[in-house]
Amino acid sequence: MMNRPPPSPLARLTGAPRLPPLLLILAALTALGTAFASQYWGGLNPCEMCWWQRYAYMTSVVPLLPSAFLRLTAAQRRVSLLLAGLVFLVGAGISLFHAGVEQKWWEGFTACTAPISAGGLDDLRAAILAAPVVRCDEIPWSLFGISIAGFSAIASLVLALFAVKAAFSTETAR
């Protein structure tokens, strides 16, 4: 008999049926929590493309919920993880585009301001006048020359790759 080497930590992690979706949900919620904390406690107001990146993280949770909390077949779990991987990949594309706009590699959109919501006409006028205008082509914060959008692109790409790896590694649901 041949002795097989023990599976790698990544293989053990991605092979568990419910653990990868739970970790991906946790990662998406952590990214969202960080974004909202930087906005409300750090004073870094989001531009329009920042919101798009947040929407991608929010959307990624939707296909993962059944996979994390319901008994699914291996095929259903694979579809769930692949859909989430696709959403993370779209989020990576949005983030990369935003980082390119910040770096002036290409031009962004002309209307790039923070969203405003208000009740009546007077409230709307006051909200418009008080709203901070945030440009998508300015870098509000960076670390090691990488902006928030750049870090989001890296994180989204890693999460997309992890989701795809898990989609083809998970066992049947227990």
Side-chain angles (χ1 to χ4, degrees):
M1 273 211 170
M2 290 178 55
N3 286 337
R4 286 186 158 177
S8 70
L10 180 61
R12 285 195 312 270
L13 180 66
T14 58
R18 293 194 178 146
L19 188 56
L22 286 170
L23 290 175
L24 288 166
I25 290 169
L26 180 64
L29 294 178
T30 300
L32 286 168
T34 302
F36 282 109
S38 69
Q39 176 184 351
Y40 292 109
W41 293 324
L44 297 175
N45 291 309
C47 70
E48 188 68 25
M49 283 194 271
C50 292
W51 277 104
W52 299 347
Q53 293 165 68
R54 291 179 187 192
Y55 297 148
Y57 283 112
M58 291 175 201
T59 304
S60 70
V61 172
V62 174
L64 291 168
L65 288 173
S67 186
F69 298 109
L70 301 176
R71 282 183 73 94
L72 301 178
T73 65
Q76 291 169 326
R77 190 172 309 284
R78 181 171 290 126
V79 168
S80 169
L81 288 163
L82 288 174
L83 284 174
L86 179 63
V87 174
F88 282 124
L89 191 59
V90 168
I94 293 168
S95 300
L96 183 61
F97 179 75
H98 188 191
V101 169
E102 290 175 334
Q103 295 296 329
K104 314 288 191 271
W105 294 338
W106 44 73
E107 190 173 322
F109 300 100
T110 55
C112 205
T113 59
I116 297 172
S117 61
L121 185 58
D122 290 333
D123 291 337
L124 181 60
R125 184 178 301 121
I128 289 172
L129 293 174
V133 176
V134 181
R135 296 176 46 107
C136 295
D137 62 351
E138 293 178 357
I139 300 172
W141 182 89
S142 68
L143 180 65
F144 307 120
I146 302 172
S147 68
I148 298 168
F151 281 112
S152 179
I154 293 166
S156 294
L157 185 59
V158 168
L159 293 172
L161 293 172
F162 180 77
V164 171
K165 169 77 172 137
F168 292 104
S169 299
T170 56
E171 303 166 335
T172 57
R174 298 184 242 257

